[in-house]
Amino acid sequence: GENVEQHPSTLSVQEGDSAVIKCTYSDSASNYFPWYKQELGKRPQLIIDIRSNVGEKKDQRIAVTLNKTAKHFSLHITETQPEDSAVYFCAAFTSGTYKYIFGTGTRLKVLA
Amino acid sequence: ETGVTQSPTHLIKTRGQQVTLRCSSQSGHNTVSWYQQALGQGPQFIFQYYREEENGRGNFPPRFSGLQFPNYSSELNVNALELDDSALYLCASRPLAGTDNEQFFGPGTRLTVL
């Protein structure tokens, strides 16, 4: 079946450093790739997304890159701040099956 | 916060019982998806409803069933509860099935099965 692998499972960085989270998806028909931030006890919230016809997207300190050939996409957070500490999930969506498949999450800790 | 609401917030049941969870979608959204999020895991897709019909399903047994109503609100029903059903259940709504529109999550219902 379809799956999304996400690495690393935990990531600790010093405040001001960059953080990179990587995901690999299995369904070549996937065409939309959102990233969610989930704080403890709260709902997942979309922080950035990318569609299959785009290779890179940036929004202030956050960027996402997509390599369709490798079926690989990554989240990049620059100038990390303590409030960036949370669990981050990637997901792959396939229009034909209407399914979002989520990665297993990365717990990011930004150390002040 | 999104306009998606869920009830109840928390629920405790015993093995073998049945449970119904409810979700009100954001205004203008006609597609609702349900997810199970076990502790420390990512959300697992259960199924999706569009215009009152299920049109996508993940790897969940038939004892997980749902409904969508004409106002696009939705229910998730789980029969014969098992201990492993303990999880956060999230619903998410979006405007149109089959597109890659952003989906908006509700706050979730935390189900504990004893």
Side-chain angles (χ1 to χ4, degrees), chain A:
Chain A
E2 309 96 336
N3 76 299
V4 175
E5 293 185 1
Q6 182 172 347
H7 300 282
S9 56
T10 60
L11 180 60
S12 293
V13 298
Q14 291 291 328
E15 183 178 359
D17 286 351
S18 295
V20 180
I21 303 171
K22 299 181 179 182
C23 288
T24 303
Y25 60 98
S26 62
D27 186 355
S28 56
S30 295
N31 53 2
Y32 173 65
F33 307 92
W35 285 89
Y36 292 88
K37 176 182 180 182
Q38 188 174 29
E39 298 177 8
L40 191 62
K42 296 193 174 181
R43 72 191 80 190
Q45 293 198 309
L46 181 76
I47 55 171
I48 196 167
D49 57 14
I50 192 166
R51 285 157 176 79
S52 57
N53 58 349
V54 177
E56 185 173 356
K57 182 177 178 181
K58 188 173 181 181
D59 182 4
Q60 298 183 347
R61 297 185 297 109
I62 296 173
V64 57
T65 58
L66 171 65
N67 182 331
K68 284 179 58 181
T69 302
K71 290 189 281 188
H72 179 89
F73 59 114
S74 300
L75 176 71
H76 304 252
I77 305 174
T78 59
E79 300 172 24
T80 53
Q81 302 167 2
E83 51 266 36
D84 294 330
S85 296
V87 178
Y88 290 81
F89 293 99
C90 62
F93 175 77
T94 305
S95 296
T97 58
Y98 311 129
K99 288 183 185 179
Y100 280 87
I101 306 298
F102 280 75
T104 49
T106 296
R107 182 171 299 280
L108 174 65
K109 295 181 183 178
V110 180
L111 307 171

